[in-house]
Amino acid sequence: MKNHFSQYQNPLRILKLISGRQWLTFSASWLAWTADAFDFFCVSLNVDNIAKEFHKSHSDVTLAILFTLLTRSIGAVIFGALGDRYGRKWPMVGNILLFGILTFSTGFTRNFSEFLAVRSLYGIALGGIYGCAASLAIENLPNEARGIMSGVLQQGYAFGYLLAAAINLAIVPNSKYGWRAIFWFGIGPAVLIAIFRAVIPDEDAAKRRALSSRDSSTTMTAKDKGRVLLKEIKELFRYHWLRLIHAVALMSGFNFMSHGSQDLYPTFLTSQLENTPTTSTKVVSIMNFGAIIGGSLAGYFSQYWGRRITIISLCCVGACFIPLWYLPTDWRILAIGAFFMQFCVQGAWGIIPIHLNEISPSSTLRAVFVGLTYQLGNAISSASATIEATAAEKLKTKSPSGKIVPDYGKTQAIFIGAVFLCVIILTAVSPEYKGAMLEEVKYADGRVVVQVKPDVDKPETVEENNHYEG
């Protein structure tokens, strides 16, 4: 037994390998991702309030979620490409400020059409964050720390949801402006995070300059750099289309999994089970604590068990908790099921930042690959909440008071069960480069190789451990 556990490193010892500058860079990415989630879930937490003000159904309001997710792919390409070519820092700063402004603008929409239009534009700004944030955060860390910090980074999303739930409860019921107040509040954190990202040392600059030098001298004009960028994007689709398609399919499954288990859960708690906003916030908060813990632990253990086996195991365990997640009427028991459901869902998600970075075919297009596959997956899964809301409105049930209401619980349970199965299959056939160094070596013959650290549990040849680019 002693020898079995000797392979595991003390997490605190791993964290000590991270320098102060690396912590600052990682923190900026984590905060940006947290603000991303905070602003996104402002709609999910106020579906009922928005529906009442605009005289729409819940399924109508979920169209805002759908449009936001659909347009995120545009932002992923734009800001991911800018980050890969010119460095992650300033595209991130502009991106954060832009989605803060559009969040603020949401609170001023006068009708439902304006609301949908602003949320669609917001999706473009929102879509650029993940690629730059995940790439910058992971690639600048020591290799030994990338697994555990992948989980920590991803759970900025759960922490953002947690903050949104708590602040929504504090602001919305006590404001004469109702749901609009939470959107006005959202610009404050965005501005502060953008300033923080702008003033901290640019850990990414040296690497970007080194990579750009492989294309030409430093005298390249902006127009020339643009041509090179377009050429590299074309090569990504031409030579790595199969990996791109698989990564998009995998991200579709993951996004169906998270949005299917989160977006309408507050509506399920309040509209179907008739809980008070305070009780609903308690359950959502406990649920997100489970997400934060699960994501952090899963990222750490995936460093030893492998990315795929950890994801598959968590999906299997999560499926077992579906009954406890939606059947109880006592909120305390329901909270236990929600805790473990999100422990598994976000635990699996905690592995995604490092997994996407490792299977990316090129470090010069890493932000584009990570951001684009993630956001295309978001686009494909964008109808999650609308599908669930529409199905629930047709599948009626009785509320505790005897009213006939949409059955959000059963609909979400069926939906998430099917999604778990799809994610297990897609993960099983996914490539895995656990331990990839994420640095390139260029040889005299023009080959560019991403060095991959050999897996101690599976010795391979040098050729099998290298991931060839050109």
Side-chain angles (χ1 to χ4, degrees):
M1 183 67 70
K2 183 177 179 181
N3 291 334
H4 177 72
F5 287 102
S6 62
Q7 62 174 312
Y8 297 98
Q9 294 186 53
N10 186 329
L12 295 178
R13 185 175 297 175
I14 293 174
L15 297 180
K16 287 180 180 179
L17 298 173
I18 304 173
S19 69
R21 289 171 66 94
Q22 289 169 336
W23 273 116
L24 286 173
T25 303
F26 180 87
S27 297
S29 296
W30 186 87
L31 287 169
W33 189 222
T34 299
D36 180 315
F38 177 94
D39 292 349
F40 176 80
F41 281 109
C42 286
V43 173
S44 296
L45 291 164
N46 287 284
V47 168
D48 195 46
N49 295 327
I50 297 168
K52 288 176 181 177
E53 177 162 341
F54 290 132
H55 306 292
K56 298 292 181 178
S57 67
H58 290 168
S59 57
D60 288 333
V61 176
T62 60
L63 289 173
I65 298 174
L66 186 154
F67 290 162
T68 297
L69 297 178
L70 277 175
T71 56
R72 287 173 78 166
S73 301
I74 302 172
V77 173
I78 295 171
F79 290 100
L82 290 172
D84 281 322
R85 178 51 47 191
Y86 302 106
R88 326 287 194 210
K89 181 176 181 176
W90 294 111
M92 277 185 68
V93 172
N95 200 171
I96 295 166
L97 287 174
L98 185 58
F99 80 65
I101 291 169
L102 288 167
T103 298
F104 184 68
S105 301
T106 303
F108 291 100
T109 52
R110 296 166 297 179
N111 53 58
F112 190 62
S113 297
E114 287 184 5
F115 178 76
L116 290 180
V118 172
R119 295 310 290 178
S120 298
L121 291 173
Y122 165 79
I124 297 175
L126 195 67
I129 287 295
Y130 192 80
C132 285
S135 298
L136 180 60
I138 298 299
E139 69 190 6
N140 284 299
L141 291 172
N143 190 63
E144 297 86 348
R146 286 171 177 165
I148 188 171
M149 296 308 288
S150 171
V152 174
L153 173 69
Q154 186 63 36
Q155 296 328 304
Y157 194 74
F159 189 72
Y161 191 178
L162 180 63
L163 284 179
I167 295 174
N168 188 75
L169 180 63
I171 292 179
V172 172
N174 300 311
S175 172
K176 66 178 181 179
Y177 299 105
W179 60 269
R180 297 175 184 274
I182 189 67
F183 290 96
W184 293 335
F185 176 88
I187 194 171
V191 170
L192 292 175
I193 293 167
I195 293 172
F196 177 64
R197 170 67 270 204
V199 300
I200 64 172
D202 192 357
E203 191 77 7
D204 185 52
K207 181 173 288 187
R208 295 277 67 79
R209 284 195 297 270
L211 289 174
S212 65
S213 67
R214 107 179 183 190
D215 301 316
S216 67
S217 68
T218 56
T219 60
M220 282 181 70
T221 65
K223 188 175 182 180
D224 290 334
K225 289 181 178 179
R227 289 199 190 100
V228 171
L229 177 60
L230 289 175
K231 180 182 177 183
E232 289 180 336
I233 293 176
K234 289 179 181 177
E235 288 177 351
L236 175 64
F237 283 91
R238 181 178 179 184
Y239 297 112
H240 306 289
W241 58 271
L242 184 59
R243 183 171 306 179
L244 195 64
I245 290 173
H246 178 265
V248 170
L250 184 64
M251 287 301 93
S252 300
F254 266 82
N255 279 291
F256 271 121
M257 185 168 68
S258 58
H259 291 298
S261 64
Q262 292 176 344
D263 291 359
L264 281 182
Y265 203 68
T267 307
F268 160 68
L269 295 171
T270 54
S271 295
Q272 181 176 330
L273 299 186
E274 298 178 335
N275 287 301
T276 65
T278 301
T279 300
S280 176
T281 300
K282 288 179 182 178
V283 177
V284 169
S285 299
I286 292 169
M287 174 178 85
N288 280 289
F289 277 119
I292 293 167
I293 296 169
S296 301
L297 290 177
Y300 169 72
F301 284 107
S302 75
Q303 199 74 4
Y304 304 99
W305 300 348
R307 315 301 183 202
R308 289 180 299 187
I309 191 63
T310 308
I311 291 171
I312 291 171
S313 299
L314 286 164
C315 287
C316 291
V317 174
C320 296
F321 277 100
I322 291 176
L324 193 63
W325 173 65
Y326 88 99
L327 286 177
T329 54
D330 187 320
W331 73 268
R332 299 169 188 83
I333 301 175
L334 201 67
I336 296 173
F339 177 93
F340 284 106
M341 171 63 74
Q342 291 305 317
F343 180 99
C344 295
V345 170
Q346 293 303 317
W349 259 112
I351 301 163
I352 287 303
I354 182 61
H355 185 56
L356 286 182
N357 272 278
E358 286 174 339
I359 68 173
S360 173
S362 170
S363 67
T364 56
L365 285 173
R366 185 171 293 136
V368 170
F369 180 84
V370 174
L372 182 61
T373 55
Y374 173 80
Q375 300 301 357
L376 282 175
N378 252 321
I380 293 171
S381 67
S382 59
S384 297
T386 303
I387 291 170
E388 288 182 334
T390 303
E393 288 167 2
K394 295 180 179 179
L395 189 67
K396 302 288 187 178
T397 188
K398 283 187 178 181
S399 69
S401 66
K403 296 179 181 177
I404 303 299
V405 295
D407 196 341
Y408 294 107
K410 186 180 292 184
T411 302
Q412 288 180 102
I414 295 170
F415 188 88
I416 200 66
V419 171
F420 272 139
L421 179 60
C422 290
V423 170
I424 289 171
I425 294 171
L426 288 168
T427 303
V429 299
S430 176
E432 180 166 337
Y433 294 98
K434 182 172 74 72
M437 302 302 288
L438 308 186
E439 288 93 23
E440 290 186 348
V441 175
K442 186 175 181 181
Y443 292 94
D445 61 2
R447 288 181 302 124
V448 178
V449 180
V450 174
Q451 296 297 323
V452 179
K453 181 181 177 181
D455 191 325
V456 294
D457 297 324
K458 183 181 177 183
E460 297 169 330
T461 66
V462 174
E463 287 74 22
E464 289 172 325
N465 276 305
N466 286 332
H467 181 183
Y468 291 94
E469 311 291 311

